[in-house]
Amino acid sequence: MQVQALAKELHYEPNQTAIFFQQKKTFTIGIVLPELSEAFFSAAISGIEDTANKHNYMVLLGQSHDDESREKKIVEIMKNHRVDGLLVSITKNTADYSHFEMLKHYDIPVVFFDRIPNLTDIHYVACNMQSGTLQAVSLLLEQGHRVIGMINGPEKLIASQQRTSGYQQALQKRRLKFDASLVVSSDLTKEGTRVAMQQLLAHKRKVTAVVAFNDYVSQDAVQYALEQHLEINKDITFVSYANLPLSSYMAYPPIASVEQYPYQQGQKATEILLELLAAPDKTDTFHKITLDSRLVLAPGR
Amino acid sequence: MQVQALAKELHYEPNQTAIFFQQKKTFTIGIVLPELSEAFFSAAISGIEDTANKHNYMVLLGQSHDDESREKKIVEIMKNHRVDGLLVSITKNTADYSHFEMLKHYDIPVVFFDRIPNLTDIHYVACNMQSGTLQAVSLLLEQGHRVIGMINGPEKLIASQQRTSGYQQALQKRRLKFDASLVVSSDLTKEGTRVAMQQLLAHKRKVTAVVAFNDYVSQDAVQYALEQHLEINKDITFVSYANLPLSSYMAYPPIASVEQYPYQQGQKATEILLELLAAPDKTDTFHKITLDSRLVLAPGR
DNA sequence: AAAATTTACGCAACCGTTTGTGTTTACTTT
DNA sequence: AAAGTAAACACAAACGGTTGCGTAAATTTT
């Protein structure tokens, strides 16, 4: 009792690094994601940070810039910094998952979000693009469009497969048949998207609507269409994904956009990670959370 | 020599937390900034991260969301986590700087960037808005505009004062006289900007051009002008700040935007901080770096 | 008031490195 | 081959907490 008083008297403050060391715990979680400048990820971070801070955890940040080797390096450094756990959204190129497997030997749990690897024994939170795509294509069909192009992302991304699947499902519901040549791939660069759009416009059937991989792809495609002297929302209509806050300022925003709930994904992924950290033994049952995406009409539609 | 070999043999890996503890150094720097979703800050982070990683430092992130009490809390937690140093861009409301002063007792150096407090004994990197504003207003004057409105930010921000000063200077160079009622303030919310724009349009002289505080403000002002049935770039022309990457997709992008070099600011601030960490004794001379802002014409202008 | 119980505190050991000193071993020099 | 020098390693102390144990002090019980 007297020592407590004296401690206060002398403004004693414990040395956290000593505590971290002794407790083998740093109250830090690492975030590894591709690109902070994408609105989706900065929103996700807010969800992560808010949840982490609520439980007195801090977040260590690392951007992979969609470069696999950089992703590996960041994971390595974070491992060395002894983060308690990791939240990861993988690169669009990541094919080798050894740097994540390796973490198991160090008892560092990983929860993936949004861009998740194609593995079975992992924890993840993702947004199923199928439901949103189904709604998007259905909307276009209702409006009378019959030749609907899709600019998809890299084929190995699960999110790309889900988009294709949602597209097919919408057609199926109306007993329409699926034409695989209407689904083209973009590497998500401006140039890649322009090539993809060119393919669609060169299709033997006249494409009157396009489902674009995201709002950025949508805008690049719009730009290309304008250069080909097409009139947006008359000759050709766009629907996309992400629902960027800036879309209301855009010259030709998509008529609707599929919301992917970045904040919620970040929040949920963090909650799962914190749960794993609290009960380190029961790491054998895997959390696989899938939120449904949802189509949001542009204001005024 | 033999022990080295054996170490490799057994895959020995040093425990970083023990090293941190022993060395009284965590190789971590904290970043405190208002809002990641603003393109300016996510670009700044990239500059910070790249520089930090190059020197084997990691970054701890904290968003204040422009809330002073949250800023204080983040600084407190980061202090406890024993970051080696801090990079800070303050809240637009921060008036009390005690949470930063306090860090001196813990030998945690702070380098401010972009949004810097009005103190003399600090390190900072900022971008002088005066030069860019001078260029912006000069451009408008060259184009024949004589009644140029300015939607400025909160008056106590140094960046706002610099904008006003640049505006005045441009007029002075041409021997034109300054009309203070043409400079109005916005709190940077959509509503605040609309009110500001309303004031300008109600001015007794007909405003034909507007210098907006940033690209977001510019777009809100554009929206209001459209609602008033003004034709953009004919009845009224806009110039703004930030040079958002998305501006090329916007319906009515400003004809020019003042670049504030977020990546470079982040980079430079980090370099200074690392230098302070390397030479902890000579902390008495303060680094005050000011980059010049520069007007960038919209593509095709 | 004596015994039993609770609370407070002092003391060591430990976590895994770094640093410094001392000792041994190996290699050079003459 | 003896002496001198360099390299390699072993050992202890320290960083600042936590944990557990033993003892002293304060409190409660009978």
Side-chain angles (χ1 to χ4, degrees), chain B residues 167-213:
Chain B
Y167 178 103
Q168 289 175 305
Q169 212 174 319
L171 292 179
Q172 216 162 28
K173 273 198 174 175
R174 301 219 162 200
R175 307 266 183 275
L176 298 168
K177 83 164 194 288
F178 171 65
D179 178 353
S181 65
L182 282 170
V183 177
V184 298
S185 251
S186 163
D187 61 0
L188 309 183
T189 63
K190 193 188 196 85
E191 216 22 72
T193 297
R194 292 172 64 86
V195 170
M197 191 62 194
Q198 188 179 23
Q199 278 178 58
L200 286 182
L201 293 183
H203 199 273
K204 55 181 184 288
R205 299 164 70 192
K206 193 176 160 231
V207 173
T208 62
V210 171
V211 179
F213 186 79

Side-chain angles (χ1 to χ4, degrees), chain B residues 137-165:
Chain B
V137 176
S138 298
L139 173 72
L140 292 171
L141 289 172
E142 268 168 41
Q143 295 192 350
H145 296 282
R146 280 301 169 270
V147 186
I148 302 173
M150 171 175 257
I151 303 182
N152 212 344
E155 284 172 34
K156 77 172 157 204
L157 280 189
I158 296 177
S160 295
Q161 295 158 19
Q162 290 172 349
R163 281 170 171 81
T164 307
S165 160

Side-chain angles (χ1 to χ4, degrees), chain B residues 259-275:
Chain B
E259 172 65 50
Q260 296 171 66
Y261 302 105
Y263 187 94
Q264 286 83 345
Q265 279 195 52
Q267 203 171 30
K268 192 71 201 167
T270 311
E271 282 167 9
I272 292 174
L273 183 57
L274 291 174
E275 194 184 318

Side-chain angles (χ1 to χ4, degrees), chain B residues 82-192:
Chain B
R82 290 290 204 275
V83 294
D84 293 337
L86 230 40
L87 294 173
V88 180
S89 201
I90 61 172
T91 288
K92 67 183 170 209
N93 319 304
T94 304
D96 169 43
Y97 305 122
S98 56
H99 48 308
F100 299 124
E101 305 282 0
M102 168 268 282
L103 293 172
K104 289 184 184 167
H105 305 309
Y106 295 90
D107 276 315
I108 299 177
V110 183
V111 178
F112 294 93
F113 68 98
D114 195 57
R115 297 229 210 129
I116 62 179
N118 199 358
L119 295 173
T120 54
D121 52 349
I122 56 168
H123 307 277
Y124 69 74
V125 175
C127 193
N128 187 353
M129 293 294 108
Q130 193 179 318
S131 52
T133 308
L134 171 60
Q135 291 171 34
V137 176
S138 298
L139 173 72
L140 292 171
L141 289 172
E142 268 168 41
Q143 295 192 350
H145 296 282
R146 280 301 169 270
V147 186
I148 302 173
M150 171 175 257
I151 303 182
N152 212 344
E155 284 172 34
K156 77 172 157 204
L157 280 189
I158 296 177
S160 295
Q161 295 158 19
Q162 290 172 349
R163 281 170 171 81
T164 307
S165 160
Y167 178 103
Q168 289 175 305
Q169 212 174 319
L171 292 179
Q172 216 162 28
K173 273 198 174 175
R174 301 219 162 200
R175 307 266 183 275
L176 298 168
K177 83 164 194 288
F178 171 65
D179 178 353
S181 65
L182 282 170
V183 177
V184 298
S185 251
S186 163
D187 61 0
L188 309 183
T189 63
K190 193 188 196 85
E191 216 22 72

Side-chain angles (χ1 to χ4, degrees), chain A residues 173-227:
Chain A
K173 273 198 172 172
R174 302 219 162 200
R175 306 267 185 271
L176 297 169
K177 81 167 197 287
F178 171 63
D179 178 352
S181 65
L182 282 171
V183 178
V184 297
S185 253
S186 163
D187 60 0
L188 308 183
T189 63
K190 193 189 196 85
E191 215 23 72
T193 297
R194 292 173 64 87
V195 170
M197 191 62 194
Q198 188 178 23
Q199 277 177 59
L200 286 181
L201 294 183
H203 199 274
K204 54 182 186 288
R205 299 164 70 191
K206 193 176 161 230
V207 173
T208 63
V210 171
V211 178
F213 186 80
N214 63 36
D215 286 340
Y216 301 99
V217 167
S218 160
Q219 288 304 302
D220 290 330
V222 160
Q223 211 165 55
Y224 184 81
L226 287 172
E227 289 168 21

Side-chain angles (χ1 to χ4, degrees), chain B residues 1-2 21 24:
Chain B
M1 226 68 262
Q2 295 181 47
F21 164 56
K24 300 172 185 306

Side-chain angles (χ1 to χ4, degrees), chain A residues 1-4 18 21-22 24:
Chain A
M1 224 69 266
Q2 295 180 46
V3 322
Q4 306 271 351
F21 165 56
Q22 199 277 139
K24 298 172 187 308

